Amino acid sequence: MNAGIFDELKKLITRAYAPYSHFKVAVIIRDKKGNFARGVNVENASYGLTSCAERNAVFSFVASGFEKPAELFLYTETDGFTAPCGACRQVLMEFDPNLPVIMLNRSGDEKRVLIAELVPLPFGPKDLDEAT
Ligand code: THU
C-alpha cells in the first residue's frame, strides 16, 4: 500500500547508528504536501545519550520548516511491529493527538494506530495553561 515509502524506509534504515543494541529503527514523517522528514536512531558509547529515530525525525521535520505532520511511518527489520517508546510517544503527541502512526515490519505489513491511542491520560500543552 505504501510501496514507495517502504522502499525509502529500507534505504534509510541502513543509516541507523546502532552498534550497541544492533536494533535499527527508521522513521519518515510526511506532511500533507508530501514533504518528508527522516530520522534514524543514533546510539552513543555513553548509552543514555542514545537518540531514537522518532524524535530525530520530529526534530528534523520542525527544523525543515514543514507544517503539521500528516503521517509517521516507523520501520524495523522485525517480524512483529515496533511501537514508539514512551518518551517518543510524548514528543509525538505535542503536534497532533490524531497523528497516524504506521508501523511496518520487514515484510512491509502495516499496523496503523493514532498516537493518542498509545498515550492514555496525556500531559500536553493545555495542561500548562491551567497553572497560574
Ligand atoms: N529505539 C528507537 O529508535 N525508537 C523506539 O521507539 C524504540 C527504541 C532505538 C533506541 C536504541 O538505539 C535501540 O532502538 C534499542 O533500544
Side-chain angles (χ1 to χ4, degrees):
M1 187 225 247
N2 286 299
I5 297 262
F6 186 49
D7 287 343
E8 282 293 315
L9 287 163
K10 284 190 290 187
K11 274 189 267 175
L12 179 62
I13 204 167
T14 65
R15 300 187 196 147
Y17 180 71
Y20 307 109
S21 74
H22 305 289
F23 188 80
K24 295 184 173 185
V25 184
V27 168
I28 291 176
I29 303 176
R30 193 181 61 73
D31 73 4
K32 64 175 192 286
K33 293 182 186 159
N35 293 310
F36 283 6
R38 293 169 174 76
V40 293
N41 53 328
V42 180
E43 299 185 345
N44 191 272
S46 177
Y47 300 160
L49 300 183
T50 290
S51 190
C52 290
E54 295 90 325
R55 273 175 286 161
N56 290 337
V58 168
F59 303 149
S60 171
F61 187 92
V62 172
S64 298
F66 299 151
E67 287 171 24
K68 209 167 109 162
E71 280 180 317
L72 181 144
F73 299 90
L74 168 49
Y75 173 59
T76 50
E77 294 162 322
T78 52
D79 293 332
F81 298 107
T82 300
C85 80
C88 290
R89 292 178 193 203
Q90 175 69 26
V91 170
L92 296 173
M93 278 290 283
E94 180 77 12
F95 301 101
D96 181 8
N98 292 313
L99 175 70
V101 173
I102 299 113
M103 295 164 265
L104 297 97
N105 67 4
R106 61 155 62 99
S107 307
D109 304 322
E110 296 181 12
K111 183 178 172 67
R112 187 185 184 95
V113 294
L114 300 181
I115 188 64
E117 295 177 79
L118 301 178
V119 188
L121 200 62
F123 174 83
K126 65 181 182 335
D127 290 292
L128 299 176
D129 297 337
E130 289 176 22
T132 48

